[in-house]
Amino acid sequence: MNYIRTGIGLFFEYDTPRIVHIQSKKVGVINRFIQFCIIGYVIGFAIIFKKGYQDFDNVQSVVTTKVKGIVMVNTTVHPDIQPIWDVADYIVPPQENNAFFVITNLIVTPNQSIGICPEDSKVHGSNCTVDKDCPAGTSLPVGNGVLTGKCDPDVNRCEIHAWCPVENGTTDAPNPAVLEDSKQFTVFIKNNIEFPKYNVKRRNLPDNVSNDYLQNCRYDGGANSRCPIFTLQSIVEGANSGSYREVAFEVVQRIRIGGIIIQRDIVSGTGSRYDELSFQGGVIQIRIKWNCNLDLSEDKCLPEYSFRRLDSSTYKISKGYNFRYSRNFKDANGTEFRTLYKAFGIKFVISVSGQARKFAPVPFLTNVGSGLALLSIATVICDIVVLYILKARALYKEKKYLQVVGDDAYKVLD
């Protein structure tokens, strides 16, 4: 019953803070040290380093690309490949969202027509000895056509309805790559961005230049340091993929503005050699960052570029990047033919990120208020020290706590 009365008595009690001024070198040093740490954290880290006095807005972006360049193929070495390739030939498909693909190598199967021919020997299940090994009307996994139900006795392979002759799966990609000279192509990347909250629109091209400037200038690090056409091969050639962070830093320092990038440079910036990548293809990411402090001039809101390879040359199977497409035509008799291309190349994926920051009173006052609240931590820690750690803790407890019993206090009866 006394426990119940004691519990009820707690309901009729009230605690009020009591200020005790303690003169102690130890406690004073602890108190000031903690206060300085909290103030330093709030001002130095939360407000200055983390820009706690600014509000922010995420970037909204659109990217368009344009590739230019012409390459001539040695038809003596590659007689089945057309001699001249321009942008209409090696950009497949012509337009993509935030990406573009450049053909660098080819395996060509010319003059295919619809007919009956043996299946490719590399296709699993294509070998046969009798007709029943080739069930009619079915197709083999990763096969090139539909089985006719016949086994070709000359090659012991199933016959198929397909575009004949089938692609020779044993053929390796040419090395060096057929279009290795694509390293001289230029890529025009036009990036328009907006920060809607602040009604700020920017693009990655200088506004005070002409079309002649974009066509003729070349970046040299000196007088033409703002030219949007540049070469990075001399900087990063031979760099391994493990040094990406260093390479990206060098690229950021040299590409502060401009939208035309030589493909050879982009690949070199990832630590990969262009001739190696063009052989079997690969995937390269182009990253554009817009981190802008709008408390300064909008003219200082400029993009930063960095590059990395998303796939790896160390994969044991299915390396690189390739796909197949065809070009169809008819002869004078109306018979339809096609040329089949197995195209290897580099897929460039463009990503844009960034934030704009500008002074705003709400986040600033929020951080200041949080800092003032954190100062109470110093009082809590000092109370723990004086009440439970110091030798004179009994004296401090006596001064810290004072019990006052009012005339109408709730009495717990014995």
Side-chain angles (χ1 to χ4, degrees):
M1 184 63 68
N2 288 336
Y3 292 112
I4 296 176
R5 290 179 175 274
T6 302
I8 295 174
L10 294 175
F11 181 77
F12 297 102
E13 294 178 356
Y14 163 68
D15 294 328
T16 181
R18 185 184 186 189
I19 298 176
V20 179
H21 187 72
I22 299 175
Q23 295 181 350
S24 169
K25 294 180 180 178
K26 294 179 181 179
V27 180
V29 169
I30 294 173
N31 181 50
R32 298 308 177 204
F33 175 76
I34 297 173
Q35 288 177 341
F36 287 145
C37 289
I38 293 173
I39 293 173
Y41 165 78
V42 173
I43 297 177
F45 182 79
I47 295 181
I48 297 178
F49 182 74
K50 286 295 186 178
K51 304 296 189 293
Y53 57 91
Q54 294 177 316
D55 198 3
F56 67 90
D57 187 23
N58 291 321
V59 68
Q60 295 185 7
S61 169
V62 62
V63 177
T64 58
T65 62
K66 184 182 294 184
V67 182
K68 290 186 177 181
I70 298 176
V71 63
M72 177 176 288
V73 176
N74 187 344
T75 54
T76 302
V77 179
H78 307 288
D80 295 328
I81 300 178
Q82 66 189 57
I84 298 294
W85 287 70
D86 62 15
V87 65
D89 299 310
Y90 56 72
I91 300 297
V92 180
Q95 290 292 332
E96 292 186 80
N97 291 328
N98 296 329
F100 59 96
F101 177 82
V102 179
I103 296 175
T104 58
N105 210 359
L106 293 161
I107 297 176
V108 180
T109 306
N111 299 324
Q112 287 184 315
S113 61
I114 296 176
I116 296 176
C117 53
E119 178 60 278
D120 185 359
S121 61
K122 296 285 287 185
V123 176
H124 181 72
S126 64
N127 295 328
C128 62
T129 54
V130 293
D131 289 348
K132 67 177 182 179
D133 294 333
C134 309
T138 63
S139 59
L140 299 173
V142 301
N144 293 286
V146 179
L147 298 175
T148 64
K150 300 285 186 180
C151 179
D152 190 325
D154 296 328
V155 292
N156 290 328
R157 293 203 304 274
C158 294
E159 290 184 346
I160 57 172
H161 288 289
W163 286 94
C164 299
V166 296
E167 180 186 48
N168 186 357
T170 61
T171 301
D172 294 326
N175 192 8
V178 175
L179 304 182
E180 184 185 356
D181 285 342
S182 58
K183 59 192 174 186
Q184 300 297 341
F185 297 164
T186 59
V187 183
F188 178 48
I189 300 178
K190 185 165 63 173
N191 179 208
N192 294 279
I193 62 105
E194 181 181 8
F195 297 107
K197 181 182 292 187
Y198 306 117
N199 195 28
V200 172
K201 296 182 178 181
R202 299 287 294 167
R203 64 174 185 165
N204 64 332
L205 297 175
D207 293 326
N208 58 348
V209 297
S210 63
N211 289 331
D212 291 338
Y213 173 81
L214 294 178
Q215 292 177 4
N216 299 318
C217 75
R218 289 295 182 270
Y219 179 89
D220 61 6
N224 289 327
S225 60
R226 298 187 64 180
C227 174
I229 304 176
F230 51 88
T231 301
L232 301 178
Q233 182 182 13
S234 61
I235 302 173
V236 298
E237 186 71 37
N240 57 59
S241 58
S243 63
Y244 163 68
R245 293 183 181 273
E246 296 178 3
V247 171
F249 176 79
E250 188 71 26
V251 172
V252 168
Q253 295 300 315
R254 288 183 171 267
I255 315 173
R256 293 294 300 182
I257 193 164
I260 299 182
I261 305 174
I262 293 182
Q263 288 180 24
R264 187 177 194 175
D265 304 339
I266 295 174
V267 174
S268 297
T270 67
S272 302
R273 292 177 57 90
Y274 194 93
D275 54 354
E276 295 174 354
L277 196 61
S278 63
F279 170 49
Q280 291 183 309
V283 182
I284 299 297
Q285 182 185 33
I286 304 172
R287 301 196 295 185
I288 308 176
K289 285 187 177 182
W290 293 84
N291 291 324
C292 301
N293 185 355
L294 297 183
D295 289 329
L296 305 176
S297 171
E298 289 186 13
D299 294 337
K300 295 184 178 181
C301 181
L302 302 174
E304 295 180 351
Y305 299 85
S306 61
F307 316 97
R308 65 171 176 167
R309 183 172 179 177
L310 297 181
D311 65 331
S312 175
S313 59
T314 61
Y315 294 151
K316 294 183 179 179
I317 59 173
S318 190
K319 292 182 180 180
Y321 186 91
N322 65 78
F323 64 93
R324 291 169 177 82
Y325 73 99
S326 66
R327 291 177 178 167
N328 294 39
F329 58 94
K330 292 183 179 181
D331 64 6
N333 298 322
T335 303
E336 187 171 10
F337 291 86
R338 78 174 187 182
T339 299
L340 177 65
Y341 296 91
K342 182 178 181 180
F344 301 82
I346 305 171
K347 177 84 168 184
F348 293 93
V349 181
I350 305 171
S351 62
V352 182
S353 61
Q355 287 184 338
R357 293 182 173 273
K358 194 172 185 178
F359 176 80
V362 172
F364 175 71
L365 295 177
T366 300
N367 281 282
V368 172
S370 299
L372 294 176
L374 287 174
L375 289 176
S376 62
I377 295 176
T379 302
V380 173
I381 295 176
C382 289
D383 281 348
I384 293 174
V385 172
V386 300
L387 298 177
Y388 300 102
I389 297 177
L390 296 182
K391 292 181 179 180
R393 54 184 176 271
L395 174 62
Y396 293 131
K397 285 183 180 179
E398 181 182 348
K399 301 296 182 180
K400 174 72 174 176
Y401 301 108
L402 176 64
Q403 185 173 357
V404 179
V405 180
D407 295 339
D408 60 343
Y410 181 82
K411 307 293 184 183
V412 179
L413 300 178
D414 296 333

